[in-house]
Amino acid sequence: MGTWFEIRDLHVKIADTDREILKGLSLTINPGEIHAIMGPNGSGKSTLAYALMGHPGYEVTGGEVIFKGQNILEMEADERSRAGIFLAFQYPVAIPGVTVANFLRTAINARIKAEAAAKNGGVLPPDVRGVPIPVFTKQLREALQMLKVDQSFAGRYLNDGFSGGEKKRAEILQMAMLKPELAILDETDSGLDIDALRIVSEGVNTLHRSNPQMGVLVITHYQRLLNYIKPQFVHVLIDGRIVESGGPELALHLEEKGYDWLKEPELVD
Ligand code: ADP
Ligand code: MG
């Protein structure tokens, strides 16, 4: 048995340039574990998130990302999702005219149909229907309750005029409905207030309680995040490499000392 989720010696550069940002990043996550990758601005955190999502602006030049025996870097974004990986968008787009509920139902139905087609040699069997509306409505109501979000939220247009906190709620709600095995979240370095941070953290914690086997990777600049979310593993990313890994105590140390003590280790020696 190989490992469940493993990033192996990942190298990523900005597409169409020679600029290497990730310079051999390795990380292993087992089922149920919560990991945080933290690092200063410009260290490559979002580059990692984009590379994991398959963003065309970031080119993987070396390494592998294995999930349950498959190299996800060879998969399309929707295949990654069907394999059980949830990748949260850092800058969610607004879709005026499409309600949160409609968006979620469309996403779930797309997955049901893609799964049915994949099992049928790539052809969608004609009898496949999406999730019945009463079933969907019940799931949605339960997810909103679990995340302590007002039911009226589901009737609003997705991200249209949403505050930062509401966008985060929509993201976490999507995660609750899609029930991923592994959730990867990149938290913006800017525009995320403490309120939004708390919403994400509580949402992740709640979902993790309801599914203790779910693996989580939170990528964030915010040391404060770790007051709310309780990762068992903390990694520090500097200049495209993980330079330090530890338990929750590492987060406390970072909160106190910042990142400088980890930079340019050759000068410390
Ligand atoms: P972080 O999320 O840790 O702040 P990023 O991954 O966003 O860091 O960026 C890492 C480095 O790569 C930065 O120096 C940034 O300027 C550069 N970079 C990221 N994306 C691009 C891009 N699309 N084009 C040019 N440079 C980029
Ligand atoms: Mg970033």
Side-chain angles (χ1 to χ4, degrees):
M1 249 320 268
T3 43
W4 186 64
F5 178 77
E6 186 178 2
I7 302 173
R8 265 184 219 153
D9 196 28
L10 188 66
H11 291 253
V12 176
K13 71 178 182 80
I14 309 291
D16 304 318
T17 73
D18 294 327
R19 183 125 187 250
E20 184 172 64
I21 306 296
L22 297 184
K23 303 167 181 171
L25 188 147
S26 299
L27 178 75
T28 297
I29 302 180
N30 295 302
E33 291 179 351
I34 303 181
H35 290 245
I37 291 187
M38 312 191 65
N41 281 330
S43 55
K45 299 184 300 297
S46 293
T47 299
L48 172 63
Y50 284 129
L52 293 173
M53 284 177 209
H55 191 293
Y58 299 82
E59 189 185 328
V60 175
T61 54
E64 295 177 308
V65 180
I66 306 293
F67 183 57
K68 296 192 292 184
Q70 283 178 288
N71 187 358
I72 67 159
L73 298 177
E74 287 161 5
M75 298 178 173
E76 300 296 328
D78 67 311
E79 292 176 297
R80 298 178 198 204
S81 160
R82 268 186 284 132
I85 300 181
F86 177 83
L87 294 154
F89 287 102
Q90 194 170 11
Y91 303 106
V93 288
I95 315 183
V98 174
T99 63
V100 170
N102 260 324
F103 171 78
L104 291 171
R105 196 158 64 88
T106 305
I108 290 169
N109 286 345
R111 180 189 281 189
I112 290 171
K113 289 180 182 171
E115 271 168 9
K119 281 191 194 127
N120 191 45
V123 182
L124 180 65
D127 59 332
V128 171
R129 297 274 172 278
V131 54
I133 293 191
V135 174
F136 170 78
T137 306
K138 183 164 176 286
Q139 286 172 356
L140 180 59
R141 204 185 311 122
E142 287 169 358
L144 287 164
Q145 255 164 24
M146 177 172 71
L147 300 173
K148 301 195 183 73
V149 177
D150 194 88
Q151 299 285 328
S152 66
F153 187 72
R156 293 180 57 192
Y157 291 149
L158 183 69
N159 292 324
D160 191 17
F162 278 19
S163 68
E166 286 168 340
K167 285 181 184 168
K168 289 289 135 187
R169 282 205 170 84
E171 183 180 290
I172 296 295
L173 181 61
Q174 201 184 334
M175 205 168 116
M177 295 295 287
L178 291 176
K179 298 187 176 60
E181 290 176 60
L182 173 65
I184 299 172
L185 303 117
D186 181 21
E187 294 315 314
T188 24
D189 294 350
S190 56
L192 196 63
D193 55 21
I194 278 296
D195 228 32
L197 218 53
R198 227 194 44 234
I199 292 162
V200 171
S201 311
E202 282 173 3
V204 166
N205 290 337
T206 303
L207 293 183
H208 195 258
R209 270 196 300 278
S210 80
N211 176 15
Q213 285 304 99
M214 179 174 74
V216 180
L217 176 60
V218 186
I219 302 167
T220 184
H221 169 71
Y222 281 100
Q223 284 135 259
R224 280 173 299 183
L225 179 84
L226 303 169
N227 296 335
Y228 301 99
I229 209 168
K230 300 295 174 208
Q232 297 115 315
F233 304 92
V234 177
H235 313 274
V236 183
L237 178 68
I238 292 182
D239 195 22
R241 289 188 188 92
I242 290 185
V243 297
E244 187 81 19
S245 292
E249 76 287 346
L250 178 55
L252 296 175
H253 198 72
L254 287 173
E255 169 133 41
E256 208 182 304
K257 300 268 192 292
Y259 292 110
D260 285 345
W261 63 285
L262 288 164
K263 285 182 184 163
E264 303 186 47
E266 65 270 23
L267 298 181
V268 177
D269 279 345

XYZ file of all heavy atoms in Angstrom, residues 25-79:
402
model
N 9.078 20.409 -3.583
C 8.227 20.396 -2.392
C 7.664 18.990 -2.184
O 7.134 18.383 -3.116
C 7.095 21.411 -2.585
C 6.191 21.685 -1.383
C 5.736 23.136 -1.405
C 4.990 20.762 -1.343
N 7.808 18.467 -0.979
C 7.297 17.135 -0.656
C 6.441 17.198 0.600
O 6.761 17.940 1.534
C 8.443 16.154 -0.438
O 9.216 16.038 -1.615
N 5.362 16.422 0.605
C 4.427 16.443 1.729
C 3.539 15.213 1.649
O 3.097 14.842 0.568
C 3.555 17.700 1.627
C 2.472 17.899 2.680
C 3.125 18.339 3.980
C 1.491 18.973 2.229
N 3.303 14.568 2.785
C 2.434 13.401 2.819
C 1.267 13.645 3.777
O 1.469 14.180 4.862
C 3.226 12.164 3.302
O 4.252 11.908 2.357
C 2.331 10.939 3.391
N 0.068 13.284 3.346
C -1.111 13.410 4.208
C -1.796 12.051 4.290
O -2.019 11.404 3.270
C -2.105 14.459 3.666
C -1.414 15.828 3.544
C -3.342 14.561 4.560
C -2.307 16.933 3.009
N -2.110 11.616 5.504
C -2.855 10.377 5.704
C -4.322 10.715 5.967
O -4.643 11.838 6.371
C -2.270 9.608 6.894
C -0.851 9.152 6.607
O -0.613 8.437 5.633
N 0.088 9.584 7.420
N -5.233 9.742 5.759
C -6.656 10.015 5.968
C -6.891 10.592 7.364
O -6.305 10.127 8.341
C -7.314 8.641 5.825
C -6.383 7.860 4.974
C -5.002 8.354 5.315
N -7.734 11.606 7.425
C -8.116 12.181 8.709
C -7.184 13.249 9.238
O -7.513 13.935 10.199
N -6.021 13.412 8.600
C -5.072 14.392 9.117
C -5.373 15.799 8.620
O -5.767 15.987 7.475
C -3.638 14.023 8.684
C -3.117 12.774 9.361
C -1.705 12.391 8.909
O -1.173 12.997 7.947
O -1.143 11.461 9.521
N -5.152 16.765 9.496
C -5.280 18.175 9.115
C -3.886 18.791 9.095
O -3.182 18.789 10.105
C -6.185 18.948 10.092
C -7.571 18.294 10.166
C -6.289 20.407 9.678
C -8.548 19.006 11.086
N -3.490 19.264 7.916
C -2.177 19.890 7.739
C -2.344 21.358 7.372
O -3.283 21.709 6.666
C -1.404 19.223 6.593
C -0.944 17.833 6.897
N 0.384 17.493 6.983
C -1.640 16.689 7.121
C 0.490 16.193 7.254
N -0.726 15.679 7.337
N -1.422 22.165 7.842
C -1.385 23.564 7.414
C -0.030 23.846 6.793
O 0.998 23.430 7.324
C -1.620 24.491 8.595
N -0.042 24.512 5.630
C 1.198 25.041 5.059
C 1.150 26.546 5.244
O 0.185 27.200 4.843
C 1.350 24.718 3.560
C 1.570 23.219 3.359
C 2.519 25.505 2.966
C 1.899 22.840 1.926
N 2.161 27.076 5.911
C 2.199 28.506 6.151
C 3.488 29.058 5.581
O 4.464 28.335 5.419
C 2.168 28.761 7.652
C 1.078 27.946 8.308
S 0.782 28.417 9.979
C 0.186 30.053 9.702
N 3.477 30.334 5.276
C 4.694 30.928 4.757
C 4.490 32.382 4.451
O 3.358 32.826 4.273
N 5.578 33.123 4.371
C 5.466 34.553 4.087
C 4.970 34.814 2.671
O 4.928 33.898 1.843
C 6.902 35.058 4.267
C 7.782 33.862 4.153
C 6.959 32.671 4.549
N 4.616 36.049 2.395
C 4.189 36.444 1.049
C 5.257 36.106 0.037
O 6.439 36.311 0.282
C 3.929 37.952 0.999
C 2.584 38.299 1.587
O 1.653 37.502 1.524
N 2.485 39.473 2.168
N 4.819 35.565 -1.100
C 5.752 35.297 -2.184
C 6.506 33.991 -2.052
O 7.367 33.687 -2.867
N 6.178 33.191 -1.033
C 6.943 31.956 -0.836
C 6.500 30.843 -1.782
O 7.206 29.847 -1.926
C 6.833 31.494 0.620
O 5.485 31.351 0.997
N 5.334 31.003 -2.414
C 4.876 30.000 -3.373
C 3.615 29.262 -2.948
O 3.251 28.254 -3.557
N 2.924 29.783 -1.942
C 1.729 29.095 -1.429
C 0.633 28.988 -2.490
O 0.100 27.910 -2.735
C 1.183 29.825 -0.189
C 2.166 29.890 0.966
C 1.548 30.519 2.195
C 1.072 31.939 1.989
N 2.163 32.886 1.667
N 0.307 30.129 -3.111
C -0.753 30.078 -4.117
C -0.310 29.297 -5.340
O -1.119 28.630 -5.987
C -1.192 31.488 -4.511
O -1.819 32.106 -3.409
N 0.975 29.362 -5.659
C 1.497 28.577 -6.780
C 1.233 27.091 -6.536
O 0.823 26.367 -7.447
C 3.018 28.833 -6.948
O 3.203 30.230 -7.226
C 3.610 27.996 -8.049
N 1.426 26.650 -5.298
C 1.132 25.254 -4.962
C -0.352 24.962 -5.177
O -0.708 23.960 -5.812
C 1.532 24.970 -3.506
C 1.111 23.609 -2.967
C 1.784 22.475 -3.755
C 1.423 23.487 -1.474
N -1.211 25.858 -4.660
C -2.655 25.639 -4.806
C -3.038 25.588 -6.284
O -3.772 24.692 -6.719
C -3.429 26.745 -4.092
N -2.514 26.527 -7.070
C -2.848 26.557 -8.500
C -2.331 25.320 -9.218
O -3.008 24.764 -10.087
C -2.278 27.816 -9.158
C -3.059 29.070 -8.838
C -2.425 30.214 -8.377
C -4.446 29.109 -9.015
C -3.143 31.368 -8.089
C -5.170 30.259 -8.729
C -4.509 31.384 -8.272
O -5.219 32.519 -7.994
N -1.136 24.881 -8.866
C -0.579 23.694 -9.522
C -1.449 22.471 -9.200
O -1.705 21.638 -10.068
C 0.860 23.467 -9.071
N -1.910 22.387 -7.952
C -2.755 21.253 -7.569
C -4.097 21.298 -8.305
O -4.695 20.282 -8.591
C -2.984 21.240 -6.053
C -1.737 20.963 -5.202
C -2.042 21.131 -3.722
C -1.185 19.565 -5.486
N -4.546 22.518 -8.625
C -5.810 22.672 -9.357
C -5.647 22.468 -10.844
O -6.622 22.374 -11.565
C -6.351 24.093 -9.152
C -6.973 24.335 -7.820
S -7.475 26.073 -7.725
C -7.336 26.312 -5.962
N -4.403 22.509 -11.319
C -4.185 22.371 -12.756
C -4.344 23.682 -13.499
O -4.712 23.705 -14.675
N -4.065 24.792 -12.851
C -4.157 26.101 -13.496
C -3.133 26.192 -14.635
O -1.957 25.875 -14.445
C -3.875 27.182 -12.454
C -4.185 28.570 -12.930
N -3.471 29.182 -13.930
C -5.133 29.458 -12.541
C -3.967 30.401 -14.140
N -4.973 30.587 -13.304
N -3.581 26.609 -15.825
C -2.673 26.612 -16.985
C -1.521 27.614 -16.877
O -0.535 27.495 -17.608
C -3.595 26.978 -18.163
C -4.805 27.600 -17.557
C -4.945 27.019 -16.180
N -1.610 28.568 -15.973
C -0.545 29.552 -15.832
C 0.664 29.029 -15.064
O 1.677 29.713 -14.956
N 0.542 27.812 -14.528
C 1.623 27.248 -13.709
C 2.016 25.896 -14.280
O 1.171 25.020 -14.442
C 1.158 27.129 -12.249
C 0.818 28.485 -11.681
C -0.432 29.057 -11.931
C 1.758 29.211 -10.976
C -0.733 30.327 -11.466
C 1.464 30.477 -10.504
C 0.215 31.036 -10.748
O -0.077 32.292 -10.294
N 3.288 25.766 -14.603
C 3.732 24.552 -15.278
C 4.526 23.663 -14.317
O 5.506 24.102 -13.718
C 4.607 24.932 -16.479
C 4.939 23.748 -17.352
C 5.918 24.140 -18.467
O 5.851 25.300 -18.932
O 6.744 23.297 -18.835
N 4.068 22.423 -14.207
C 4.794 21.463 -13.371
C 5.964 20.934 -14.190
O 5.769 20.375 -15.267
C 3.859 20.311 -12.937
C 4.649 19.257 -12.173
C 2.709 20.842 -12.085
N 7.176 21.131 -13.683
C 8.354 20.683 -14.434
C 8.996 19.449 -13.822
O 9.912 18.875 -14.400
C 9.407 21.810 -14.509
O 9.685 22.243 -13.168
C 8.902 22.988 -15.315
N 8.503 19.048 -12.640
C 9.043 17.839 -12.039
C 8.222 17.419 -10.843
O 7.499 18.226 -10.256
N 8.312 16.140 -10.526
C 7.622 15.630 -9.348
C 6.253 15.064 -9.664
O 5.798 15.066 -10.815
N 5.611 14.568 -8.619
C 4.309 13.922 -8.775
C 3.408 14.306 -7.616
O 3.891 14.661 -6.541
C 4.466 12.396 -8.706
C 5.268 11.784 -9.821
C 5.416 10.281 -9.602
O 5.844 9.888 -8.501
O 5.094 9.540 -10.528
N 2.102 14.207 -7.854
C 1.140 14.350 -6.761
C 0.233 13.129 -6.827
O -0.561 12.970 -7.759
C 0.305 15.637 -6.883
C -0.683 15.733 -5.724
C 1.205 16.866 -6.916
N 0.419 12.233 -5.867
C -0.286 10.955 -5.889
C -1.465 10.998 -4.919
O -1.304 11.387 -3.759
C 0.662 9.807 -5.461
C 1.939 9.800 -6.310
C -0.049 8.454 -5.520
C 1.746 9.457 -7.750
N -2.641 10.637 -5.403
C -3.795 10.476 -4.531
C -4.392 9.105 -4.786
O -4.788 8.800 -5.909
C -4.832 11.574 -4.793
C -6.032 11.512 -3.884
C -5.881 11.559 -2.505
C -7.314 11.412 -4.411
C -6.983 11.501 -1.658
C -8.421 11.360 -3.568
C -8.249 11.408 -2.196
N -4.407 8.282 -3.766
C -4.917 6.913 -3.865
C -4.345 6.182 -5.091
O -5.069 5.578 -5.877
C -6.444 6.910 -3.901
C -7.056 7.456 -2.614
C -8.553 7.200 -2.507
C -9.335 7.999 -3.516
N -10.794 7.832 -3.362
N -3.039 6.319 -5.249
C -2.364 5.550 -6.299
C -2.345 6.182 -7.673
O -1.721 5.649 -8.581
N -3.040 7.323 -7.845
C -3.054 7.947 -9.169
C -2.329 9.285 -9.134
O -2.430 10.021 -8.149
C -4.497 8.217 -9.612
C -5.244 6.998 -10.087
C -6.676 7.375 -10.443
O -7.482 7.647 -9.556
N -6.966 7.411 -11.729
N -1.637 9.606 -10.210
C -0.989 10.909 -10.310
C -2.030 11.937 -10.754
O -2.426 11.967 -11.917
C 0.165 10.855 -11.307
C 0.968 12.149 -11.309
O 0.651 13.097 -10.596
N 2.015 12.179 -12.118
N -2.466 12.774 -9.827
C -3.567 13.687 -10.165
C -3.131 14.773 -11.157
O -3.972 15.397 -11.786
C -4.213 14.350 -8.920
C -3.243 15.297 -8.222
C -4.768 13.318 -7.975
C -3.967 16.309 -7.339
N -1.827 14.970 -11.287
C -1.365 15.996 -12.234
C -1.708 15.607 -13.669
O -1.720 16.450 -14.556
C 0.147 16.202 -12.093
C 0.591 16.712 -10.720
C 2.104 16.814 -10.656
C -0.053 18.059 -10.401
N -2.002 14.323 -13.872
C -2.383 13.874 -15.214
C -3.891 13.924 -15.426
O -4.391 13.567 -16.479
C -1.881 12.441 -15.439
C -0.379 12.404 -15.628
C 0.225 11.022 -15.397
O -0.536 10.051 -15.172
O 1.462 10.933 -15.437
N -4.634 14.373 -14.402
C -6.099 14.374 -14.518
C -6.630 15.770 -14.828
O -6.032 16.770 -14.449
C -6.732 13.965 -13.186
C -6.398 12.582 -12.721
S -7.226 12.401 -11.113
C -6.926 10.708 -10.803
N -7.801 15.803 -15.487
C -8.517 17.059 -15.669
C -9.073 17.497 -14.306
O -9.228 16.671 -13.400
C -9.697 16.864 -16.638
C -9.299 16.380 -18.022
C -8.433 17.402 -18.764
O -8.619 18.615 -18.548
O -7.564 16.972 -19.540
N -9.409 18.785 -14.213
C -9.909 19.322 -12.942
C -11.151 18.554 -12.455
O -11.275 18.254 -11.270
C -10.231 20.802 -13.085
N -12.052 18.212 -13.371
C -13.275 17.519 -12.933
C -12.973 16.084 -12.496
O -13.633 15.543 -11.616
C -14.365 17.552 -14.013
C -13.987 16.748 -15.238
O -12.863 16.929 -15.743
O -14.801 15.929 -15.683
N -11.937 15.495 -13.089
C -11.544 14.144 -12.650
C -10.954 14.187 -11.240
O -11.167 13.288 -10.436
C -10.500 13.547 -13.598
C -11.004 13.235 -14.984
C -9.866 12.724 -15.885
O -8.909 13.487 -16.142
O -9.947 11.565 -16.286
